[in-house]
Amino acid sequence: MIEMTLREIADVVGGTLHDVPDPAVTVTGAVEFDSRRINPGDMFLALPGEHADGHDFAATATAAGAVAVLAARPVGVPAIVVTPQDTAPSRAMALAHDRDGSGAAVLAALAKLARVSVDRLVADGLTVVGVTGSSGKTSTKDLLASVLAPLGPVVAPPGSFNNELGHPWTALRADADTKFLVLELSARGPGHIKALTEIAPPTIGVVLNVGTAHLGEFGSREAIAQAKGELVEALPPSGVAVLNADDPNVAAMATRTRARVVTVGQSGTAEVRATDVVLDGDARARFTLHAKGSQVPVRLAVHGEHQVGNALSAAAVALECGADPETVARALSDARIASAHRMDVRTRADGVTVVNDSYNANPDSVRAALKALVSMAKETDRRTWAVLGEMAELGEESVIEHDRIGRLAVRLDVDRLIVVGTGRPAHALHQGAVMEGSWGEESILVPDIEAAIAVLDDEIAAGDVVLVKASNSAGLWAVAQHLTAAPGAGTEAAV
């Protein structure tokens, strides 16, 4: 963030100074909500957690070097205290356990602070890029960080830090040296993306797709499209909206923005386009990038054909920021997914390949991952395993969507399916596979992670390819971690 005195911060957030000997003391570092990450010059954010209250760690944070604490009550050390207030969107998105509104008050103050910091940096030349979509946000964010890096310093969130805590926290990582601030925007209801755009107004907005993630909250794909379009509605007339021409729901958002529209995709009408797309034996795409009158080859290092659309969106942003097609192609070819548990492909010494895509799951992302799995084994005729858990937040469509995924696994000719879970969605996924084909032991339903690991330990063989995917709440990353660390696996290597 920009350097600010405690008095300036208090004025910005509407707070009161408590136990502050010198209001002119300056915050020169970051804003942190984990007292273990505090460095000298930082400010500590006191938030109520599910199991602990950040206010109880205020003294620890100041002892570690925090200049002050942003809190909802006096804490006995230098603090800027804000009053609980009605901030319903913050509470709905980030702090379900915030019983007295103190967390919402601190989040509202954090948002105000981020807005002031971003506004001043934008005046000095910072470009803010916002990315949303039902799937692919985090992968695209990582690709964007790679393609923009040759143009100047980039700040992007770690992992999927995309709600009303992660969004302003990331925005406050930008400082006077930052040229590009890349932000993810997620939503679990109407108005959430709009609220995030008010924290850090984007200059460039990217909408990747409209799928069925969070269908339970929104109720329909049309409602999801309406919410995702809040990003392009927030863009200024001088801004740029990057829209997926291959998704009709996204392409239709062109009428909802004042900004200039740039389309991307494999459609012949897309301005930034991919042709001649082919996958290698590790499901990495090669294609020809058409942009700005040039045609340049790209060979992605990330896995899955779905990454082509993500790469095109990243390319379009970099081109708008001044990069040339050749530089963009080189950056895309070198780019890796930096966020954990997302199409992380590792091959063990015994030839077993583990595809860890366990961070999150929705019907669209599971379909993409299954197709990548099959593609990776197609040319070498390796045996394929899909270890799948439940997809969360699908509402009334949950059983139907899980059934469809089970049937798709059969149609794609996945060799073995392990479904992990005890609820109706898991049963539907397993039964969908059984009913689609004449499957016997090819599909197995197990109650928990330990049971899935037991099956794999007993039956996995050298050369097999194993996909692990579920919503993060299922914790299936433990299966992938076990496989890559299993005795006898040898030294693992990233593909």
Side-chain angles (χ1 to χ4, degrees), residues 127-132 136-157 180-185 204-208 231 242 264 302 307 309-321 323 328 331-332 335-338:
T127 297
V128 181
V129 181
V131 183
T132 195
K137 294 185 294 295
T138 301
S139 296
T140 303
K141 172 264 300 181
D142 288 342
L143 292 172
L144 274 164
S146 294
V147 299
L148 290 173
L151 303 177
V154 182
V155 167
F180 301 102
L181 173 61
V182 179
L183 297 168
E184 286 187 49
L185 296 89
I204 301 176
V206 179
V207 184
L208 300 170
L231 173 57
V242 177
V264 302
V302 294
Q307 299 287 8
N310 298 338
L312 291 173
S313 294
V317 172
L319 291 166
E320 289 298 321
C321 292
V328 169
L332 286 175
R336 302 292 191 276
I337 299 303

Side-chain angles (χ1 to χ4, degrees), residues 40-58:
D42 290 351
M43 182 167 69
F44 178 60
L45 196 66
L47 289 170
E50 188 174 357
H51 304 293
D53 188 339
H55 291 80
D56 298 334
F57 297 90

Side-chain angles (χ1 to χ4, degrees), residues 250-470:
V250 176
M253 295 178 191
T255 61
R256 295 171 58 185
T257 185
R258 301 170 295 165
R260 180 167 54 85
V261 173
V262 174
T263 55
V264 302
Q266 297 185 49
S267 166
T269 62
E271 296 165 66
V272 179
R273 185 163 54 101
T275 62
D276 307 318
V277 178
V278 295
L279 301 182
D280 68 11
D282 291 311
R284 295 174 297 199
R286 298 193 308 271
F287 61 89
T288 301
L289 172 66
H290 300 253
K292 302 286 186 180
S294 298
Q295 299 181 27
V296 293
V298 175
R299 179 169 183 163
L300 296 179
V302 294
H303 304 267
E305 186 173 4
H306 59 288
Q307 299 287 8
V308 173
N310 298 338
L312 291 173
S313 294
V317 172
L319 291 166
E320 289 298 321
C321 292
D324 59 78
E326 291 76 14
T327 300
V328 169
R330 286 194 298 271
L332 286 175
S333 297
D334 292 337
R336 302 292 191 276
I337 299 303
S339 303
H341 305 160
R342 293 168 178 82
M343 291 305 287
D344 181 5
V345 180
R346 297 178 181 271
T347 297
R348 307 188 326 189
D350 62 358
V352 171
T353 297
V354 181
V355 184
N356 183 359
D357 199 28
S358 60
Y359 184 82
N360 214 342
N362 60 62
D364 299 308
S365 67
V366 175
R367 281 190 283 268
L370 286 171
K371 291 175 182 177
L373 167 69
V374 172
S375 176
M376 293 173 71
K378 183 177 180 180
E379 293 184 6
T380 53
D381 199 29
R382 303 165 71 186
R383 186 168 60 159
T384 52
W385 294 74
V387 184
L388 303 180
E390 295 184 7
M391 301 174 289
E393 300 172 340
L394 293 177
E396 295 179 356
E397 297 296 312
S398 182
V399 169
I400 294 173
E401 292 293 348
H402 282 82
D403 174 85
R404 287 173 177 166
I405 291 299
R407 294 176 184 273
L408 178 64
V410 177
R411 293 171 190 165
L412 292 175
D413 204 22
V414 174
D415 292 305
R416 294 296 308 275
L417 175 64
I418 300 177
V419 180
V420 185
T422 57
R424 287 184 65 203
H427 282 270
L429 202 164
H430 171 63
Q431 287 300 318
V434 171
M435 296 301 292
E436 181 67 21
S438 300
W439 278 26
E441 295 183 356
E442 290 91 341
S443 179
I444 182 172
L445 178 66
V446 299
D448 51 36
I449 291 169
E450 290 74 18
I453 288 174
V455 173
L456 290 163
D457 282 349
D458 187 51
E459 299 185 29
I460 199 171
D464 288 355
V465 187
V466 186
L467 167 69
V468 182
K469 188 163 181 65

